[in-house]
Amino acid sequence: MVTIRDVAKYAGVSASTASRAIRNSSLISPETRKKVQLVAKKMNYVPNFNAHNLATNANNTVGVVFPVDKDDLYQNPFYTELIEGINQELTPKHFFMTVALGGTIKELKQTIKIMIENSKIEQFILLYSIENDPILKYLQQRKAKYAVIGKPYTNANSIPYVDNDNVNAGLDATEYLINKGHRQLGYAFTSRYRLVQTDRMLGFHEAIRRNDSYGYDLELCSERFGTAIKEYLQRYPDISAILASDDILAFQVQKAVQRIVPERQIELMGFNDSLFAKFAEPKISTVQIYPKRLGKAAAQLIIQQLEQESNEPFEKMIVPYKIIEQN
């Protein structure tokens, strides 16, 4: 059986360089990578990742951590696109994914503990950002490598993360509605503990301030959804547009408004550019936040940490956004 040492010797490089070249490491020059990979192909070399993991007491698997509060997990295409982006970035580097789920923080923490101690998984991507996250603290205590999708609440300069500029996205989306003639607007969201939602709210209110308009918040929960919307519309009878924290919520609000007060003409707008915006009637304008790019960027941050030779500064990546007007 051809080994990595055989490939290295034939290519005229060290075994560690050959191994990194096979994994498409950015630490190795493109010329050397190409040379080593051609030699490996010529020699019919097949990487033995199990042997590599046993030798290094490591695992080339990345744990993808879902939020505990995941009511919309199975209907929200946002998570599907995140996973697709992560996988597209990891596969060429010969890394794999495994999912960490839990109904409670305790269950999720136990799952991650087993992944670290039994499966030797040492790198994780968190698909969410919440305040005082016990899971993030646990990963830090275990000195695991990690990346967060979403701006951290604190210590943003010491945590590797990827996000959109959600404050400016909320501002631009609101000004889009204001430029269409709306002067009294609402912002619908589900949790003040999700930074992505509160950042978009900050942008919403900044646009309201800049344009001498009127903005009113609408916090919604599943238990009082219809009742809360009815009371809100009674309290603010002149609202003509509502910006929601994502497309699913925008779609739900639209349907509730049409059911409760069918005579009211309220324009809805969301985030994510999902099928919910396209299938709504009338269609819902939205902000494309490119979740696949967010996933790819998070995987890139993990790979950078695995490849770096020393303790380099933590990085962040900001993915652009784009307003999509539905016709």
Side-chain angles (χ1 to χ4, degrees):
M1 182 181 294
V2 178
T3 68
I4 191 65
R5 294 185 181 278
D6 298 325
V7 174
K9 182 177 180 181
Y10 194 94
V13 298
S14 67
S16 61
T17 296
S19 178
R20 285 173 172 159
I22 293 294
R23 291 177 178 270
N24 285 312
S25 170
S26 59
L27 294 175
I28 308 302
S29 69
E31 295 79 10
T32 301
R33 272 183 277 166
K34 183 177 181 180
K35 179 175 70 173
V36 171
Q37 290 169 6
L38 286 173
V39 168
K41 184 176 181 180
K42 183 176 181 180
M43 299 178 71
N44 293 318
Y45 170 72
V46 177
N48 188 338
F49 295 117
N50 288 330
H52 176 271
N53 293 339
L54 288 171
T56 60
N57 195 33
N59 192 313
N60 60 314
T61 301
V62 176
V64 178
V65 185
F66 282 82
V68 170
D69 179 16
K70 52 184 186 302
D71 293 338
D72 63 348
L73 174 61
Y74 303 108
Q75 62 178 343
N76 194 339
F78 174 75
Y79 292 108
T80 305
E81 292 191 53
L82 285 181
I83 293 296
E84 186 177 353
I86 292 169
N87 187 61
Q88 284 181 359
E89 194 66 28
L90 292 181
T91 299
K93 303 287 185 179
H94 303 293
F95 280 88
F96 309 97
M97 289 189 307
T98 189
V99 170
L101 292 166
T104 64
I105 289 291
K106 183 177 180 180
E107 288 179 4
L108 184 57
K109 185 176 178 180
Q110 181 62 24
T111 298
I112 293 173
K113 181 180 180 181
I114 292 171
M115 292 167 73
I116 293 175
E117 295 181 354
N118 293 9
S119 301
K120 307 300 181 184
I121 296 173
E122 298 179 348
Q123 46 277 331
F124 295 85
I125 295 174
L126 279 66
L127 301 186
Y128 65 93
S129 175
I130 61 172
E131 190 173 9
N132 299 320
D133 183 14
I135 301 302
L136 178 58
K137 291 179 181 178
Y138 180 69
L139 292 177
Q140 292 169 336
Q141 292 169 0
R142 297 301 300 257
K143 300 188 184 305
K145 295 177 172 60
Y146 62 87
V148 178
I149 295 181
K151 186 173 70 176
Y153 276 76
T154 58
N155 303 318
N157 291 330
S158 62
I159 294 175
Y161 76 91
V162 56
D163 201 5
N164 311 105
D165 185 341
N166 285 297
V167 175
N168 273 327
L171 188 153
D172 287 345
T174 307
E175 289 195 332
Y176 166 81
L177 292 171
I178 290 173
N179 290 336
K180 294 186 71 175
H182 300 288
R183 285 295 173 267
Q184 297 207 31
L185 305 93
Y187 177 74
F189 64 104
T190 59
S191 174
R192 295 182 184 273
Y193 299 101
R194 290 188 177 184
L195 190 57
V196 62
Q197 296 191 22
T198 54
D199 271 359
R200 290 168 183 171
M201 180 192 296
L202 287 173
F204 169 81
H205 285 291
E206 177 60 19
I208 294 294
R209 184 191 67 80
R210 290 185 186 184
N211 293 274
D212 295 322
S213 300
Y214 300 89
Y216 309 98
D217 297 339
L218 171 60
E219 186 169 8
L220 293 166
C221 62
S222 57
E223 290 79 10
R224 296 188 71 254
F225 195 90
T227 302
I229 290 177
K230 182 178 181 179
E231 293 172 352
Y232 179 81
L233 295 177
Q234 289 174 343
R235 189 179 304 118
Y236 306 113
D238 295 324
I239 281 181
S240 59
I242 295 176
L243 174 66
S245 57
D246 64 40
D247 288 345
I248 294 178
L249 186 60
F251 180 82
Q252 292 171 330
V253 171
Q254 183 190 67
K255 294 304 175 188
V257 170
Q258 291 171 346
R259 183 180 67 255
I260 297 168
V261 282
E263 69 279 5
R264 290 283 294 270
Q265 298 297 316
I266 296 180
E267 182 169 357
L268 272 296
M269 186 171 185
F271 291 80
N272 295 354
D273 190 25
S274 69
L275 291 176
F276 288 90
K278 295 177 176 63
F279 290 162
E281 185 56 47
K283 294 180 180 179
I284 295 171
S285 294
T286 183
V287 181
Q288 171 60 272
I289 59 172
Y290 301 106
K292 195 179 297 184
R293 292 192 199 178
L294 290 169
K296 287 173 69 71
Q300 289 168 8
L301 288 179
I302 287 292
I303 292 167
Q304 287 176 11
Q305 293 176 63
L306 293 170
E307 292 182 345
Q308 67 188 23
E309 297 281 345
S310 58
N311 293 324
E312 299 176 6
F314 288 108
E315 294 189 35
K316 65 177 180 180
M317 294 185 181
I318 303 299
V319 172
Y321 60 86
K322 180 182 179 181
I323 292 178
I324 306 294
E325 183 175 8
Q326 303 287 9
N327 297 318

